[in-house]
Amino acid sequence: MPAECVKVIVRVRPFNQKERDNGSKLCVNANESTNSVELFRSSESDSKQFTYDYVFGPETPQLQIYQQTAFNLVESVAEGYNGTIFAYGQTGCGKTFTMIGDPLNDNMKGIIPRTFEQIISIINNNSDSNKKFLLRCSYIEIYNEEIHDLLSKDVKQRYELKEGQQGVYVKDLNIPIVKTLQDMDKFMTLGAQNRSVGATAMNKESSRSHCIFTVYIECSMTDDKGNERITAGKLNLVDLAGSERQSKTQATGDRLKEATKINLSLSALGNVISALVDGKTQHIPYRDSKLTRLLQDSLGGNTKTIMIAAISPSDFNYDETLSSLRYASRAKMIKNQPKVNEDPKDAMLKEQAEEIKKLRELLLKQNQDTGDRQKVDNNGRLNNVDNSHHEQINQFKEINNQLLQEKQRYENEMKEKSEQAEQERLARQRLEELLKEKEQMMIKGGKGTDDDKKKYKKMQLAIEQQKKDHEQLKIQQEQKEKEMLEIEYKYNSVQDEVEKLRKQVKYLKNKYEQQQQEQNEMKQDFEYDKEEFLDTIRSQSKEIKLFSGILRMILLQEDIEKITNCCEWNDDVEEYKIPPFNIKAKKVNFPNLPYQKAMDLIDVEKQERQVEIHHRPLPSSYRDVENTRIASPGRQRKGESQPRMNGNNDNKGMSIVEKTKLNQQLLEIYEGKSNKTQKDDQLEDYIKSY
């Protein structure tokens, strides 16, 4: 199949109450007829024009957005293609509303719940009795660059990313089977409840994580010759966390850390898009974040992709809106190579069919064995009864005891056979139940009524017509732009030629000025983003210095190096694997215990430990003393041999009284009781004695 560009849709949300109260002015005009967006400032005469595949204004209903964007994509996924729909934009611009909306309100339903309805409709309206479907779903979030399963009992558990034949996947992820619309809604609601949200100055319920709801659709078709064909489509429905600027969200503490991680992952996504569009770059930085790794196939891979850019109409958010529109303009130049996934090795439908076949063979074999045993048992019993009757007539008294023993033996045998038969019956019942359960996992079509089929067909035709009209409009726009740049043209007179050339010059000049202005603004945006990243680096550097200082207060440098040498970096979870250690007899000790037991021991020791902090102002020369103390080559553990200076060891011979006196002098230095000269001399003596 030929390459297909990422389809980009822009949606403008209405003004919110806060923007109305602040007297915000309009800075965006959305023209749905030409699918263009005009961005302007009320104080400036110039404006910027952007064109996309579709543009929707604030009044566009949810259903229309779904029909013109996602409807055809979902049909493609049912045919075996991979598809991705993701919403991007500034925080508080309506991404979650576009993707989820209000599932209980038919008019306000977002893309995800409408997707569920369409998938079930496709299956129910299928009239081919040889077609079988298997549906599964998963729901994950990426919070602070950690992957969590929103359908798991332990939502805080971290999951690892792996790479195999099926591409990038999440190890041990829950992917339950769904059969009805209610099942899908249940899992979506459960995941939404477990998702990380928080309040900022711009949004009371701001999404603090990227979420991906994935629907897996497998379809099995059998032709007249009995040949089976399996297709496997996957639909990723992605609700990205919004890009943030700390000056506007006023985020602090955990919210600021979350915003930093969000912006870093979105920046990595932007770098991937830029690298794909550039064409000259051989390396695509997919591995820079968990988000880009999971969306790797959706950007430049085997997927039909739709990007929805949600923007604000307020001039207060002019810069963020401009950034989102540029982001969207770059994304629409990405080319994917979608193809149908036929007979995949990891198709669950194939596994289920093989298991059903094995179960049926086991049941058939068990029924045959049971029938043979019953036949042999009945024949044997009749012969024995006849023999026993004959012996009873001839030798009743002589063999009475033998008959009693035979009777007891037969009763025991019958009891054992009855128990065996009951066990076989239970085993057969379990096999039948398992077979029924496996068969019920697969969904057969044809459940839809004639009215449902007609309604769906009518919707298909209407959407197909809208698609044709849209394609025709795009061709007309391209033709119009081409005419503006056309050089060869037949003119009626010289005046016509001059007028035409004047228009071309004016058009090209405007284009050139726009591109220059765009380039300057992009440089400014780059500088702004660079400053934000530098602020993040400074903040993280301060935090690292704080933790390093605390660590040096607890451990010696040689102990830190000893522990560091035992640590290993794990690429899958992107963190160090630190071996459990504790401090025993004033030395670092690695307990010879299993990992979990060692960690439990360390937790107990930490709880029993008491930290005493001396809140005294430090002298100006304290840092020099500390640096000298750490760097001093003579600094050794208590009990270890120390080199003698000038034939003797003054520190070793120091009495308790002298040590106490020295500590008292140091305390006086800290409390300011000595003059500056005395301080310097005493600090020098203290360093030497240390």
Side-chain angles (χ1 to χ4, degrees), residues 1 186 272 299 471:
M1 188 173 178
K186 180 183 71 175
V272 167
L299 300 168
E471 292 298 328

Side-chain angles (χ1 to χ4, degrees), residues 143 309 399 549 654:
Y143 175 73
I399 60 170
M654 184 181 290

Side-chain angles (χ1 to χ4, degrees), residues 430-584:
R430 283 196 297 270
L431 285 172
E432 288 172 351
E433 289 174 355
L434 186 59
L435 178 61
K436 187 178 179 181
E437 182 183 341
K438 295 288 183 186
E439 288 176 338
Q440 285 179 347
M441 287 180 181
M442 293 182 287
I443 309 170
K444 288 187 178 181
K447 295 179 182 178
T449 62
D450 291 339
D451 289 341
D452 291 336
K453 292 178 182 178
K454 288 178 182 177
K455 188 177 178 181
Y456 190 80
K457 187 66 177 176
K458 186 178 178 181
M459 189 185 296
Q460 278 182 316
L461 293 173
I463 291 170
E464 189 65 31
Q465 185 60 43
Q466 289 176 357
K467 185 179 178 182
K468 288 180 181 178
D469 294 342
H470 179 257
E471 292 298 328
Q472 187 65 31
L473 179 64
K474 283 181 70 176
I475 292 170
Q476 289 175 2
Q477 289 175 342
E478 289 172 0
Q479 186 65 30
K480 188 177 179 181
E481 188 170 351
K482 188 178 180 181
E483 286 176 1
M484 290 298 297
L485 299 173
E486 191 68 51
I487 301 299
E488 295 181 4
Y489 191 80
K490 292 182 179 180
Y491 304 102
N492 296 326
S493 64
V494 176
Q495 186 66 29
D496 288 343
E497 183 178 2
V498 170
E499 188 65 28
K500 180 68 176 178
L501 291 173
R502 186 182 289 114
K503 287 181 180 179
Q504 286 183 353
V505 169
K506 186 178 179 182
Y507 175 77
L508 293 172
K509 185 179 179 182
N510 289 335
K511 277 279 186 183
Y512 175 73
E513 289 175 351
Q514 286 177 6
Q515 292 299 321
Q516 271 195 325
Q517 187 180 359
E518 191 89 2
Q519 188 177 10
N520 293 333
E521 289 176 352
M522 288 181 73
K523 285 181 180 178
Q524 292 176 2
D525 287 345
F526 174 76
E527 290 298 325
Y528 186 89
D529 291 339
K530 186 176 78 171
E531 192 59 36
E532 277 198 336
F533 285 132
L534 287 173
D535 286 341
T536 302
I537 292 169
R538 292 186 196 106
S539 175
Q540 290 178 344
S541 298
K542 284 170 66 178
E543 195 171 350
I544 290 169
K545 287 178 180 177
L546 172 63
F547 292 152
S548 299
I550 293 171
L551 192 62
R552 286 198 300 269
M553 283 283 186
I554 300 170
L555 299 171
L556 294 174
Q557 186 62 33
E558 60 190 76
D559 292 333
I560 295 172
E561 291 173 359
K562 179 181 177 182
I563 297 165
T564 302
N565 293 334
C566 297
C567 298
E568 294 179 0
W569 176 256
N570 189 329
D571 279 324
D572 293 327
V573 294
E574 294 187 355
E575 65 178 27
Y576 275 102
K577 184 179 179 182
I578 302 173
F581 69 90
N582 57 9
I583 301 171
K584 191 173 183 181

Side-chain angles (χ1 to χ4, degrees), residues 372-388:
D372 292 342
R373 277 197 299 271
Q374 286 177 351
K375 186 176 179 181
V376 171
D377 181 53
N378 290 334
N379 291 335
R381 201 186 317 165
L382 285 171
N383 291 334
N384 286 332
V385 170
D386 292 340
N387 292 336
S388 63

Side-chain angles (χ1 to χ4, degrees), residues 208-229:
R208 313 310 295 167
S209 63
H210 308 300
C211 282
I212 304 176
F213 192 102
T214 305
V215 182
Y216 306 83
I217 307 175
E218 295 181 13
C219 178
S220 170
M221 294 161 283
T222 307
D223 59 19
D224 297 334
K225 297 180 181 179
N227 298 321
E228 188 181 34
R229 174 175 173 261

Side-chain angles (χ1 to χ4, degrees), residues 79 119 221 294 393 429 514 542 676:
E79 293 170 2
I119 290 170
M221 294 161 283
L294 284 168
I393 294 170
Q429 184 179 349
Q514 286 177 6
K542 284 170 66 178
K676 187 177 184 306

Side-chain angles (χ1 to χ4, degrees), residues 24-40:
S24 296
K25 295 180 181 179
L26 186 71
C27 72
V28 174
N29 277 334
N31 192 332
E32 295 187 21
S33 60
T34 59
N35 294 309
S36 61
V37 176
E38 181 186 11
L39 185 66
F40 58 90

